[in-house]
Amino acid sequence: MELNPYQERAVAATGHCTILACPGSGKTRVLSERAARLLASHSKGRLCAVTFTRDAADELRSRILASCGQDHARRLAVGTFHSIALGQLKRINRAKPLRLLSEGERLAVLRRCWQQHAPDLEFDDVIQAIDAAKARLTPPVFSEPSLEALFHAYQELMESEGAMDFSDLLLVSVRKMANGEMAPLPIRWLLVDEAQDMDEVQMEWVLFHGRAGVEVTLVGDDDQSLYAFRHALGYAGLRAVTLALSATETTLPVNYRCAPNILAHAAKLIVHNKDRAAKKITAHRDDPGEIRVVRAPSRWDEVDLIAEAIKKSGDGQAWAVLGRTNSLLDAAEVALSDAGIPYSRSGGKSVWEHSVGGVLLGLLRSVLDDSWTGVANAMSFCGLQAGWVNEHSRRSKGGCIPRLELAIEEARDNAGLKKTLLGLRNGLAGWISQARKGRPSLVVHGVVGFLADYCKPNQLDLLIRLGTVIAKMPGSLAQRLSVLGRPRSRGHVLPVQIMTLHASKGLEFDNVWIMGCEDGTLPHTDSTEEDERRLLYVGMTRARHRLILSSAIEEGLESRFLEEAGLC
């Protein structure tokens, strides 16, 4: 496909430039073509292209070399911010190799510091606070004295062990360039993909190269800035680099993906954001698509409608089912399983791998093979203290029934505990008997009935639906568990994909269904209005031909974003 006039102008730009684009205008294509043209038209000079993930870096490298040829590979470096910064630091620390912590090691060190200095805080909040501190250039200011003590202890531990984490790579690189210990990369051109996702440290790394005379090109879309929770600067970062380097700004306003009526509603939504570049987004296509809004009585009715629509559309139709959170998508996964529709789930665990789904499958496996783990997890799910369950698991031996009988004996002075264990022991004996008689559906209903008494209100409906799916499946219990245990997000991608709105960024589909469009869900209460509006805009512009947005009456009022988009 040849470049359109807008893309051609962006590729041919000279000097520092920022290219703002709308979804469907080929940002990565523009960046790769610009890189290829720079290399091909100049016999000297090195080029570095930077992005945020290894997969994106691999794709960018292959696109550039496909356009300009392998002869230019020696003058080209493509990588993530962190991998490029790591290379810089290695070159000036050859006498002392860097010790880079893996993510597991980093979390283990952080956990030790957390247990010593801030055990009253949630560990997830601690991780978020440390990550936020390392995404800024200024010395961190913490809301809690214990967090500050934890941060300094963490840094001292890493320093004493001669180690760094991934966030340190860029911070240290920027500081060494600032104090003259390290020079910017010896390159002529620096190109940054998805530049709206830069944080403060990454932006400063780019600016050091621009101030040193490197020709900088940023490609990004301010309307697709979805990672403020990861400290991305969004449009403010793009503008800061543009102003600091006196760069030209080029806009690609033509969308080549979406049907015009789908794009029109998405554009009508996003103009309500104030912190964005002014651009009139237009569609290249002139064939109309389908766009509908659906209001269902309940969440389960909503996901059943999704499954019904996908089934009616026929085999081979590419669909994406998008939701604001992974937990919201569990219901969609159950409905597709119930309808026998093959699907892939991208990002997040399958509903069969976590929470009540994992407990249900684990206990069914214990019925089948007498393994203890499923029983132990069920005991914990039923409210038994984790420490007691773990201690009993370490001490007891043999099959599940004898181990449960030992637990009942140990719990003889605790009536509530003993009642739960007796119910589990008696239930397990009955389920094993039914399984041996070839009655898998009775086993499933029995296990579901037992676990139902211990479910929280928001788990009960899910448990019942999961049980219904397994009970309706053909084959023995072993065959059913084998089918459910297969990975659903690896290997080749199936026509129906389930993912969060965040995970859908950069992708496109013929048909898109966005579920959970209620106030409080989308927009979500944990984020800002503008961030949430961008998220829905990105989801809407994934659709080529058909877009359906749905909500559930039981879950609250229809999202006000639908009115802003002119859909109600």
Side-chain angles (χ1 to χ4, degrees), residues 12 31 47 82 86 159 164 179 187 198 241 262 324 328 373 450 474 500 517 535:
L31 187 73
L47 184 147
H82 292 98
L86 176 60
E159 187 176 343
M164 300 172 68
N179 63 26
I187 55 176
M198 294 185 300
V241 175
I262 292 175
R324 175 61 178 81
L328 182 69
T373 301
F450 171 77
T500 62
C517 295
L535 195 55

Side-chain angles (χ1 to χ4, degrees), residues 111-363:
R111 194 176 293 276
R112 282 156 49 195
C113 297
W114 165 63
Q115 290 169 343
Q116 180 182 0
H117 295 282
D120 294 337
L121 301 178
E122 292 290 334
F123 187 57
D124 286 346
D125 293 340
V126 167
I127 296 172
Q128 189 174 6
I130 299 300
D131 289 345
K134 294 196 174 195
R136 299 187 180 94
L137 295 169
T138 53
V141 176
F142 296 101
S143 57
E144 300 279 346
S146 57
L147 266 178
E148 184 170 1
L150 185 154
F151 176 78
H152 291 301
Y154 174 61
Q155 292 297 103
E156 288 168 6
L157 274 176
M158 285 200 298
E159 187 176 343
S160 68
E161 297 173 15
M164 300 172 68
D165 64 22
F166 274 95
S167 297
D168 286 325
L169 292 175
L170 277 163
L171 265 176
V172 173
S173 294
V174 167
R175 287 169 181 164
K176 286 186 179 296
M177 286 190 287
N179 63 26
E181 289 183 59
M182 184 173 73
L185 293 170
I187 55 176
R188 182 170 177 180
W189 306 283
L190 173 65
L191 281 65
V192 182
D193 197 13
E194 301 290 358
Q196 76 278 354
D197 294 335
M198 294 185 300
D199 62 26
E200 187 177 310
V201 178
Q202 291 160 338
M203 183 184 72
E204 188 65 19
W205 186 89
V206 170
L207 287 175
F208 264 111
H209 288 84
R211 297 184 194 115
V214 177
E215 189 176 303
V216 175
T217 298
L218 305 180
V219 176
D221 184 358
D222 53 317
D223 291 330
Q224 289 195 72
S225 180
L226 305 183
Y227 299 111
F229 65 95
R230 295 181 187 167
H231 323 295
L233 297 174
Y235 184 51
L238 294 171
R239 290 294 297 149
V241 175
T242 300
L243 294 172
L245 300 180
S246 300
T248 59
E249 198 171 280
T250 304
T251 301
L252 306 180
V254 180
N255 182 296
Y256 285 77
R257 176 190 303 141
C258 303
N261 53 336
I262 292 175
L263 184 67
H265 287 291
K268 192 170 183 179
L269 169 71
I270 201 63
V271 295
H272 286 81
N273 274 7
K274 306 302 180 188
D275 187 22
R276 64 186 294 265
K279 50 185 176 289
K280 182 175 176 59
I281 303 172
T282 57
H284 177 72
R285 293 170 50 183
D286 56 12
D287 56 312
E290 176 189 344
I291 183 165
R292 286 194 291 129
V293 176
V294 175
R295 187 84 163 137
S298 69
R299 185 70 78 216
W300 291 111
D301 292 313
E302 181 184 10
V303 295
D304 286 339
L305 288 172
I306 294 173
E308 182 182 349
I310 292 174
K311 207 155 193 174
K312 283 183 177 178
S313 70
D315 294 338
Q317 283 280 323
W319 281 85
V321 179
L322 309 180
R324 175 61 178 81
T325 63
N326 266 305
S327 59
L328 182 69
L329 294 170
D330 285 347
E333 185 178 359
V334 174
L336 294 180
S337 295
D338 199 7
I341 298 171
Y343 62 88
S344 301
R345 183 158 181 178
S346 306
K349 292 183 178 180
S350 165
V351 69
W352 301 102
E353 297 173 346
H354 70 94
S355 186
V356 67
V359 173
L360 174 59
L361 287 192
L363 192 48

Side-chain angles (χ1 to χ4, degrees), residues 359-367 374-375 378 424 431 447 450-451:
V359 173
L360 174 59
L361 287 192
L363 192 48
L364 288 172
R365 288 193 185 97
S366 294
V367 171
V375 174
L424 182 55
W431 305 328
V447 171
F450 171 77
L451 293 176

